[in-house]
């Protein structure tokens, strides 16, 4: 509906905007750079303070397009709005190679002034199945053979029409790249890394069976890189983190926990469960902490009880004064403060502020008085105070240590405004057992694994305003997390890193599914990670992920080309369980899938469940139809009618396990349907 209204607005504009209001020279330049707009009429334009133009084009047949240019006519962005959004997923009509060629031709024409500075040999090309589907090709800026990822151009090639329908240019022409006539070698950079950045033993955090489990890892001690000239540690320009409390309020908004699913008002004196404090008791505790600046002018509005990932019950109370809001989160059993934010204090900014030392003194005092049992465990002597640029406010962060080892997942983080008030507090604490640091691999062994499996990459990185320098940085393609007990490289969920999905099928050449498997690879659809035998049976978890890639309904966002994490897999399963694609009692991630079961799962995932479960309307052409169980009969018959399955010599073999190759053929057939 929004897009239809947008097109109507464009149509109206074509009758109300006079041609002399359009920047003629720039409009003509756009027509010459983007010939596909020849069927469009420029109907409106606007400009901003930086003299960038935004010009709208309209076509009766192809609806609307918007082009943004610089004052000299350089195209900064381009987007076509077809006025419709396809929900039916289909195979692309062009290949990745063809899309790449189209993108390169477009960039050479539209960005001719910088094409010589783009890396046109090594680039990303990912397929996205949303809408009509398309290929997103991104070219990075390249200086002297080294990439600079802050600057790039991106091109979207529609997979059905083969036309460029989106383009974006992010380019800082004022950026200076510090030249380096001689740089240190990668081997030298590795030695400087050991000295100036170092790997450090830490506890990380993962969730297993709904429980928090700390585990020991070796990770870089700093988020820094090695200067490729001096060997010193250098960091990218960053801003201070000031929104830690949002992590707590996200849980609050997502999982309110009350007896009947509703909010409990502050006047309710009855605790939800035995041992939980009431809202009035919590309110009294808040008033006893003057550092929060919640005086008598603030009136309590409501309280919510809910549960965190440790299974602890929390209570958040909201106070209001005129337009100002203050939220305080407490442990619902102990009334220990867990989080706090006060909009009145947050909005006070500007000036020199109280300084880092005074900010630390304020937070040290608050911790000592109101969070005494955590004070020593948060290593106050190592607390950092970082100024929020241009605000006069400071972010003070305390991190937990266990057995002398940092545990960065547990911390207290304060925002101190320029007047010295505590504007917000975020506090996380896990009441769990920690594994002993005995029997970890040596630091030397950890370095061997790190440099072999993760490694350093030479890039240009912005380190100052308008300046970028050559650095050796940690390879961003592999998580820099080494299991301190086994030496295995781990993903962010604490599980071993999985290889990226690719066309790595064993026995592909000459296989009956070769063309189909190759076509699906162009859509970034693969059956699993690493080397896979096409004739092996498919695991249920792999088939479920395949179905997620073609499901017409919105699915959880996950990395389709990288190794899928256990958390992402669980999200997909939970989504399919909610939608009725698979029942909980059928979940068997590492089990195989029969051919009749595969037909059922495919049709349920693609919205045919209601039709397939109609009784008495289906006929079965297979000679072994009597072997198909009743619960699958309608699904198999409908899948045959839709030409998603074909069988072999008139037989379906319903109870036989599905192979990887046949699973891909089923997906291909679905995407190829009329």
């Amino acid at each position: 509906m929004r897009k239809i209204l947008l097109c109507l607005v464009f149509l109206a504009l074509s009758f109300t905007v006079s041609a002399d209001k359009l920047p003629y020279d720039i409009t003509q330049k756009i027509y010459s750079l983007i010939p596909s707009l020849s069927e469009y009429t420029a109907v409106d334009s606007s400009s901003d303070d930086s003299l960038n133009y935004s010009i709208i084009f309209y076509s009766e047949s192809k609806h609307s397009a918007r082009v943004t240019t610089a004052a000299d006519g350089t195209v900064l962005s381009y987007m076509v709005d077809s006025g419709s959004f396809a929900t039916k997923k289909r195979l692309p009509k062009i290949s990745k190679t063809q899309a790449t060629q189209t993108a390169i031709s477009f960039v050479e024409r539209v960005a001719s002034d910088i094409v010589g500075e783009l890396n046109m040999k090594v680039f990303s090309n990912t397929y996205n199945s949303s809408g009509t589907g398309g290929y997103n090709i991104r070219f990075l800026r390249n200086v002297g053979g080294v990439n600079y990822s802050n600057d790039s151009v991106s091109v979207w090639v529609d997979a059905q029409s083969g036309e460029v329908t989106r383009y974006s240019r992010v380019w800082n022409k004022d950026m200076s790249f510090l030249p380096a006539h001689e740089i240190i070698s990668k081997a030298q950079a590795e030695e400087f890394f050991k000295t100036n950045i170092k790997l450090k033993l830490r506890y990380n955090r993962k969730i297993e069976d709904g429980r928090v489990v700390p585990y020991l890892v070796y990770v870089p001690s700093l988020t820094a890189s090695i200067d490729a000239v001096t060997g010193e540690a250098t960091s990218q320009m960053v801003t201070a983190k000031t929104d830690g409390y949002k992590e707590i309020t996200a849980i609050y908004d997502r999982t309110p926990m009350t007896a009947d699913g509703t909010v409990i008002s502050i006047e309710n004196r009855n605790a939800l469960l035995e041992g939980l404090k009431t809202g009035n008791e919590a309110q009294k505790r808040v008033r006893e902490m003057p550092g929060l600046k919640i005086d008598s002018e603030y009136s309590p509005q409501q309280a919510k009880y809910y549960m965190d990932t440790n299974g602890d019950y929390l209570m958040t109370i909201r106070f209001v004064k005129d337009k100002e809001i203050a939220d305080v989160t407490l442990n619902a059993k102990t009334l220990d403060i867990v989080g706090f934010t006060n909009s009145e204090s947050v909005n006070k900014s500007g000036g020199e502020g109280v300084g880092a030392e005074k900010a630390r003194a304020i937070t040290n005092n608050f911790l000592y008085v109101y969070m005494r049992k955590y004070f020593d465990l948060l290593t106050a002597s190592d607390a950092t105070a970082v100024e929020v640029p241009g605000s006069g406010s400071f972010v003070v962060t305390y991190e937990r240590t266990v057995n002398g080892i940092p545990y960065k997942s547990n911390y207290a983080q304060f925002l101190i405004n320029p007047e010295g008030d505590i504007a917000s507090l975020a506090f996380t604490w896990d009441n769990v057992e920690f594994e002993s640091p005995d029997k970890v691999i040596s630091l030397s062994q950890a370095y061997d694994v790190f440099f072999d499996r993760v490694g350093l990459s030479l890039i240009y990185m912005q380190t100052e305003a308008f300046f970028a320098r050559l650095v050796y940085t940690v390879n961003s393609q592999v998580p820099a997390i080494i299991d301190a007990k086994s030496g295995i490289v781990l993903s962010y969920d604490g599980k071993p890193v999985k290889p990226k999905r690719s066309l790595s099928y064993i026995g592909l050449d000459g296989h009956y599914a070769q063309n189909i498997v190759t076509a699906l690879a162009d859509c970034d659809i693969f059956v699993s990670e690493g080397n896979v035998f096409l004739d092996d049976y498919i695991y249920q978890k792999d088939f479920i992920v395949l179905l997620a890639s073609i499901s017409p309904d919105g699915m959880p966002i996950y990395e389709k080309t990288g190794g899928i994490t256990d958390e992402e897999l669980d999200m997909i399963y939970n989504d399919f369980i909610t939608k009725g694609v698979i029942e909980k009692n059928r979940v068997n991630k590492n089990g195989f899938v029969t051919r009749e079961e595969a037909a059922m799962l495919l049709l349920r995932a693609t919205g045919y469940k209601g039709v397939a479960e109609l009784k008495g309307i289906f006929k079965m052409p297979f000679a072994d139809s009597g072997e198909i169980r009743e619960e699958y009969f309608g699904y198999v018959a409908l899948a045959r009618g839709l030409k998603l399955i074909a069988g072999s010599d008139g037989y379906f073999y319903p109870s036989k396990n599905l192979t990887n190759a046949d699973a891909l053929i089923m997906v291909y057939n679905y995407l190829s349907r009329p």
Side-chain angles (χ1 to χ4, degrees):
M1 179 61 72
R2 179 191 66 80
K3 292 190 175 182
I4 293 173
L5 290 174
L6 186 61
C7 289
L8 290 175
V9 171
F10 291 159
L11 180 60
L13 285 170
S14 66
F15 293 103
T16 58
V17 179
S18 60
D20 58 5
K21 291 185 178 180
L22 296 169
Y24 178 80
D25 291 343
I26 290 179
T27 303
Q28 293 305 306
K29 184 174 181 179
I30 291 172
Y31 280 130
S32 67
L33 292 174
I34 311 176
S36 59
L37 286 177
S38 60
E39 300 177 16
Y40 290 68
T41 301
V43 297
D44 189 27
S45 70
S46 59
S47 60
D48 57 25
D49 293 339
S50 58
L51 296 181
N52 288 341
Y53 288 99
S54 179
I55 303 176
I56 296 171
F57 297 79
Y58 182 77
S59 166
E60 289 287 351
S61 60
K62 293 191 176 181
H63 301 285
S64 63
R66 180 187 294 271
V67 181
T68 302
T69 75
D72 61 359
T74 299
V75 177
L76 304 178
S77 68
Y78 163 61
M79 184 173 70
V80 175
D81 186 349
S82 65
S84 62
F85 185 83
T87 58
K88 175 182 173 182
K89 294 186 177 180
R90 296 178 291 176
L91 282 172
K93 293 182 178 179
I94 63 169
S95 67
K96 267 191 175 180
T97 300
Q98 291 171 316
T100 297
Q101 292 171 345
T102 298
I104 290 175
S105 296
F106 187 88
V107 170
E108 287 176 340
R109 185 172 62 252
V110 174
S112 59
D113 60 315
I114 60 171
V115 70
E117 299 178 61
L118 292 171
N119 189 340
M120 307 290 276
K121 294 182 179 179
V122 180
F123 49 86
S124 63
N125 184 341
T126 56
Y127 181 79
N128 189 313
S129 62
S130 61
T132 58
Y135 298 97
N136 186 25
I137 300 109
R138 183 170 181 243
F139 304 97
L140 300 181
R141 188 172 189 171
N142 190 269
V143 181
V146 181
N147 284 344
Y148 176 63
S149 61
N150 286 23
D151 289 352
S152 65
V153 298
S154 298
V155 183
W156 177 279
V157 180
D158 187 277
Q160 299 301 315
S161 67
E163 295 182 358
V164 173
T165 56
R166 286 180 236 164
Y167 167 79
S168 175
R169 167 174 169 156
V170 178
W171 200 267
N172 188 342
K173 63 181 181 180
D174 296 323
M175 181 61 63
S176 295
F177 296 87
L178 300 180
H181 302 294
E182 293 185 9
I183 63 172
I184 60 177
S185 67
K186 181 180 286 190
Q188 291 173 310
E190 291 174 355
E191 293 304 314
F192 279 117
F193 182 95
K194 294 178 183 179
T195 304
N196 297 333
I197 294 180
K198 305 184 179 80
L199 290 180
K200 194 168 185 178
L201 187 64
R202 286 182 183 158
Y203 284 105
N204 263 13
R205 182 181 193 264
K206 62 184 176 182
I207 305 295
E208 288 185 350
D209 299 324
R211 298 181 302 106
V212 173
V213 179
Y215 60 103
L216 285 161
V217 296
Y218 283 103
V219 294
S221 64
L222 302 172
T223 54
S225 302
I226 294 298
D227 188 299
V229 176
T230 67
E232 297 175 353
T234 183
S235 297
Q236 192 166 9
M237 292 183 64
V238 296
T239 57
K241 176 183 176 183
T242 62
D243 58 355
Y245 184 69
K246 292 180 182 178
E247 298 168 12
I248 297 172
T249 55
I251 302 175
Y252 164 85
D253 292 333
R254 185 171 65 249
T255 56
M257 195 287 298
T258 62
D260 59 359
T262 60
V263 174
I264 297 295
S265 70
I266 195 70
E267 292 80 16
N268 190 338
R269 296 176 180 273
N270 297 319
L272 282 165
L273 298 173
E274 184 178 354
L276 299 193
K277 303 297 185 181
T278 65
N280 282 346
E281 290 174 306
Q283 180 189 167
K284 181 181 177 183
R285 173 61 174 159
V286 171
R287 303 292 190 189
E288 292 172 352
M289 292 185 276
L292 302 183
K293 300 289 185 179
I294 301 179
D295 54 30
S296 58
E297 294 183 34
Y298 280 89
S299 59
Q301 297 296 304
Q302 65 180 35
K304 276 187 181 180
Y305 294 80
Y306 53 105
M307 187 184 293
D308 67 9
T309 53
N310 286 308
D312 292 330
Y313 292 108
L314 306 180
M315 178 196 306
T316 292
I317 307 176
R318 172 157 293 180
F319 297 85
V320 176
K321 182 179 75 172
D322 298 327
K323 295 182 179 180
E324 304 295 349
I325 295 174
D327 287 333
V328 184
T329 300
L330 306 170
N331 183 296
K333 287 189 176 181
T334 65
L335 294 184
D336 289 339
I337 187 167
V338 175
F340 161 73
T341 184
N342 185 324
S343 63
E344 183 178 14
S345 298
V346 169
N347 292 332
K348 293 178 180 177
S349 62
E352 295 182 1
V354 296
E357 291 304 316
K358 181 66 179 296
R360 268 194 294 264
I362 293 168
T363 55
N364 281 348
N365 181 68
F366 186 92
L367 281 173
Y368 190 84
V369 174
Y370 301 113
M371 305 172 71
R372 181 69 182 89
K373 64 183 179 182
Y374 303 110
F375 183 78
D376 293 332
L377 297 172
L378 286 169
T379 55
S381 60
D382 294 331
T384 61
V386 180
E387 185 175 6
V388 181
S391 71
S393 298
F394 283 83
V395 176
V396 184
T397 305
Y398 301 78
E399 294 176 348
R400 182 180 183 180
T401 57
V402 181
N403 299 321
I405 300 169
Y407 182 46
K408 289 181 173 289
S409 296
N410 282 187
Y411 60 87
Q413 185 178 81
F414 297 84
L415 175 63
I416 306 300
N417 72 12
E419 297 182 10
D421 299 329
I422 298 174
S424 71
L425 161 66
F427 176 70
T428 62
W429 199 265
D430 297 322
N431 296 309
V432 293
E433 295 292 327
F434 288 80
E435 64 178 333
S436 168
D438 296 338
K439 299 181 180 179
V440 298
I441 63 174
S442 68
L443 184 59
S444 175
Q445 290 173 306
Y447 277 123
D448 289 341
V449 174
F450 176 78
F451 292 127
D452 179 56
R453 294 291 312 281
V454 182
L456 303 178
S457 301
L458 183 65
I459 65 167
Y460 264 106
M461 184 177 75
Q462 183 178 2
T463 54
E464 305 170 45
F466 306 114
F467 283 95
R469 65 178 69 245
L470 281 166
V471 300
Y472 285 99
T473 192
V474 176
N475 178 13
S476 61
Q477 302 300 310
V478 183
I481 306 170
I482 312 297
D483 188 304
K485 294 293 181 76
S486 67
I488 294 173
V489 178
L490 301 177
S491 185
Y492 298 103
D493 62 354
K495 302 294 194 317
V497 166
K498 298 176 182 178
K500 284 193 173 290
R501 293 166 178 257
S502 63
L503 196 60
S504 300
Y505 296 110
I506 307 300
L508 177 61
D509 290 343
H511 196 280
Y512 64 86
Q514 180 177 357
N515 292 339
I516 287 173
V517 169
T518 305
L520 289 177
D522 255 4
C523 309
D524 294 329
I525 295 177
F526 305 97
V527 78
S528 188
E529 298 93 4
N531 296 328
V532 176
F533 286 89
L534 285 171
D535 293 327
D536 278 356
Y537 299 140
I538 191 169
Y539 291 111
Q540 186 192 81
K541 60 185 180 183
D542 291 330
F543 191 61
I544 289 294
V545 173
L546 268 182
L547 297 182
S549 68
I550 64 170
S551 176
D553 295 325
M555 292 298 300
I557 296 173
Y558 64 97
E559 174 54 59
K560 295 179 176 61
T561 57
I564 189 169
T565 67
D566 289 351
E567 284 184 348
E568 291 169 332
L569 182 62
D570 286 341
M571 284 194 303
I572 293 171
Y573 264 102
N574 290 336
D575 190 81
F576 273 172
I577 289 170
T578 301
K579 293 174 179 174
V581 174
I582 187 171
E583 293 83 3
K584 281 187 178 181
N585 60 358
R586 291 184 187 269
V587 173
N588 183 13
K589 296 178 183 178
N590 293 310
F592 298 129
V593 180
T594 65
R595 292 166 62 83
E596 60 185 0
E597 186 182 14
M600 178 199 70
L601 291 172
L602 173 61
L603 290 180
R604 284 184 175 183
T606 52
Y608 290 96
K609 181 177 181 179
V611 177
E613 294 188 354
L614 294 173
K615 303 297 182 183
I617 68 169
F618 294 108
K619 291 183 179 181
M620 188 70 65
F622 295 119
D624 56 356
S625 59
E627 298 177 19
I628 301 172
R629 284 179 284 179
E630 183 179 356
E631 63 180 314
Y632 300 119
F633 195 89
Y635 287 103
V636 175
L638 184 57
R640 178 67 179 85
L642 294 172
K643 299 182 179 179
L644 305 182
I645 57 176
S648 177
D649 296 327
Y651 289 84
F652 179 60
Y653 305 106
S655 60
K656 186 178 178 180
N657 290 330
L658 188 73
T659 65
N660 290 313
D662 288 341
L664 289 166
I665 290 173
M666 290 177 70
V667 168
Y668 179 89
N669 289 341
Y670 171 76
L671 294 175
S672 301
R673 70 202 188 286

